[in-house]
Every structure is written in structure tokens, then in C-alpha cells.
Amino acid sequence: MPTQEILDILLMYVKAFVVGGAICVIAQIVINITSLTSGKILVFTMLAGVVLTALGLYQPLVDFAGAGATVPISGFGYLLANGAIKGAEKGFFYAVTGSLTAASAGVTAAVVFSLIMSLLFHSKTKRN
């Protein structure tokens, strides 16, 4: 493997790590300075991905950082918004179902693996 290809791969990893880490740092700062619940922060971060996608600001971040921008929960918002935008080009029905189509593989994997883990492990209540 030529040296330039190795450097390009390493640079790709660094960019993904920095951008993904920055997204996580922002979320951690919100957790530390507010009294918002985890669920509200999760929804806020996902909606930030949707809004940034609608404004055309998230796609350049995805192009730059790849998985560093698509793996965090804001990337899920990007995925939903991007599916709806692409579906809207075909009509109203596709605008509504486009986000579901775009996210179906990830949601299905989450449900299937959650089911498998629930069958393998038995949860117990935490005692204080």
C-alpha cells in the first residue's frame, strides 16, 4: 500500500474522530450546564441534525467527516431529513415515507439486536 493512501486513511480517521468528538463534547456541555433530561437532550440533538440538514449545513460536515458526522444522534436527524428531502422530489407521499425508508435498516438492526440481547440477558432492578 503506497504511503499516500495510508496518510489519506489516517486523515479520514482523524477527521471523523474530531468531528464526532466535537458533537459529543457539545452534548456533554449541554448535560453539564442545564438540567435537561437525557431524553430532551437526545431529541434536541436529533432535531439539530434535521434543522442543519434543511439549511444545507450538515451535508458539508458529512462530506468532510464521514462517519464522524453520521454516527452520532445528530446523524440520525440528518438521515431522516435527507430521506424526506429526496422523497419530496417524487411527491408528497414520498416526502412522508422517505425518512422512514432511509432509516429503516438502522431501526431494524436496533430492534433485532435489542431483541437478541433481551433474550440472552436478564435485567435486574438496581437496589440502592
Side-chain angles (χ1 to χ4, degrees):
M1 189 182 246
T3 308
Q4 184 60 37
E5 288 181 27
I6 293 172
L7 291 176
D8 289 343
I9 292 171
L10 288 175
L11 181 62
M12 179 179 59
Y13 283 128
V14 168
K15 291 190 294 187
F17 179 78
V18 168
V19 171
I23 292 169
C24 293
V25 164
I26 292 168
Q28 187 64 49
I29 290 170
V30 172
I31 289 169
N32 291 345
I33 66 173
T34 68
S35 60
L36 293 173
T37 63
S38 299
K40 288 180 182 178
I41 294 170
L42 179 104
V43 170
F44 171 75
T45 310
M46 189 198 65
L47 288 176
V50 170
V51 170
L52 290 173
T53 301
L55 295 174
L57 300 174
Y58 208 84
Q59 186 62 48
L61 190 62
V62 170
D63 293 340
F64 174 75
T70 58
V71 170
I73 194 66
S74 57
F76 184 67
Y78 158 78
L79 181 68
L80 292 174
N82 205 22
I85 291 168
K86 288 180 180 176
E89 295 170 355
K90 297 178 184 177
F92 177 75
F93 177 75
Y94 293 102
V96 174
T97 61
S99 59
L100 299 174
T101 303
S104 63
V107 172
T108 301
V111 170
V112 168
F113 288 120
S114 297
L115 174 67
I116 292 170
M117 292 302 119
S118 71
L119 294 173
L120 292 176
F121 300 101
H122 300 288
S123 63
K124 297 176 184 173
T125 58
K126 185 177 179 182
R127 293 186 182 174
N128 292 335

